[in-house]
Amino acid sequence: MANVELTSLAKLPTLSKLRKLELSDNIISGGLEVLAERCPNLTYLNLSGNKIKDLGTVEALQNLKNLKSLDLFNCEITNLEDYRDSIFELLQQITYLDGFDQEDNEAPDSEDDDDEGDEDDDDEDEDEAGPPGEYEEEDDEDDGGSDLGEGEEEEEVGLSYLMKEEIQDEDDDDDYVEEGGDEEEEAEGIRGEKRKRDPEDEGEEEDD
């Protein structure tokens, strides 16, 4: 709820699971005790750019036991002497104030951490799964090769089988011609013998 001209948190709904709340650049000057009642599990609270002026206002945040990071940047309270030491002493549960801890170490960016985690997960998935499509292409090549081989084999078998049938048909035709020739020769022989006998028979009839 950043920069929405919010002046009070009195109507804030109960959000018991809420952990991060952005209230920057509003007109909030007090009433922070509502946060502990409605959002008890907050770990990050941004109140920068509001009208918070004194430590008494911030003291209400002591009841946010899980609070780790608090931003009061651009609030008038930051002009107080020993502002940082006073806040860390008042709110001993927090680790980071305005993005830095007591030793001026910068707080890690939670969004960057999440992005890095997602990238690591993606890299691991890619390593485990391997480059997409690689195995599919190999399978396709294997399938294509086997189909081609079978096709050629079938074609060779088909040709040899047909050629064999043609050879057999030619042999059968030759046998038929030869057999037909023998029958014709036999018929001619019979006719010849008949002719030889016929004159003899005629001579016998004449004698008679």
Side-chain angles (χ1 to χ4, degrees):
M1 295 184 290
N3 196 19
V4 291
E5 298 184 358
L6 192 64
T7 59
S8 171
L9 298 175
K11 295 183 179 180
L12 185 70
T14 299
L15 302 167
S16 59
K17 293 183 179 181
L18 188 67
R19 294 184 179 279
K20 182 176 181 179
L21 181 58
E22 290 274 359
L23 295 171
S24 60
D25 300 319
N26 284 295
I27 318 171
I28 299 169
S29 59
L32 300 184
E33 61 276 357
V34 175
L35 292 173
E37 296 172 6
R38 313 280 176 83
C39 307
N41 289 310
L42 283 180
T43 59
Y44 173 84
L45 177 62
N46 188 349
L47 288 168
S48 61
N50 279 280
K51 304 299 181 181
I52 299 171
K53 300 178 180 179
D54 53 60
L55 294 174
T57 304
V58 177
E59 188 175 358
L61 300 178
Q62 286 179 333
N63 293 324
L64 287 172
K65 303 301 183 182
N66 296 317
L67 190 64
K68 299 299 179 187
S69 180
L70 174 64
D71 281 348
L72 294 170
F73 185 72
N74 276 345
C75 291
E76 291 185 34
I77 192 173
T78 59
N79 296 324
L80 295 177
E81 188 178 353
D82 298 326
Y83 152 71
R84 289 182 61 82
D85 291 338
S86 299
I87 295 293
F88 277 117
E89 185 178 348
L90 182 64
L91 305 175
Q92 296 185 4
Q93 77 273 33
I94 69 172
T95 304
Y96 300 101
L97 176 62
D98 300 331
F100 293 88
D101 65 11
Q102 282 183 285
E103 298 176 355
D104 289 333
N105 295 315
E106 189 174 2
D109 191 333
S110 58
E111 291 181 359
D112 290 344
D113 291 343
D114 292 341
D115 292 342
E116 288 176 4
D118 293 340
E119 289 175 3
D120 292 341
D121 293 342
D122 292 341
D123 292 341
E124 289 177 4
D125 292 341
E126 286 180 4
D127 292 340
E128 291 175 4
E134 179 179 348
Y135 300 109
E136 293 178 3
E137 289 177 3
E138 290 180 359
D139 293 341
D140 292 343
E141 290 176 2
D142 293 343
D143 294 342
S146 61
D147 291 344
L148 183 62
E150 288 175 4
E152 290 178 352
E153 215 170 289
E154 289 176 0
E155 187 178 352
E156 290 177 3
V157 170
L159 287 173
S160 62
Y161 182 75
L162 289 173
M163 290 174 67
K164 185 177 179 183
E165 281 192 346
E166 288 177 2
I167 293 169
Q168 288 179 348
D169 290 343
E170 289 176 2
D171 292 344
D172 293 343
D173 291 343
D174 293 343
D175 293 343
Y176 177 76
V177 170
E178 289 175 2
E179 289 174 1
D182 293 341
E183 289 176 359
E184 288 178 1
E185 289 178 0
E186 289 177 3
E188 290 293 334
I190 292 170
R191 291 193 195 98
E193 289 179 0
K194 191 175 180 181
R195 290 195 194 99
K196 288 178 183 178
R197 286 199 298 272
D198 286 346
E200 291 177 359
D201 295 340
E202 288 177 358
E204 290 175 359
E205 288 176 359
E206 288 177 359
D207 293 339
D208 291 341

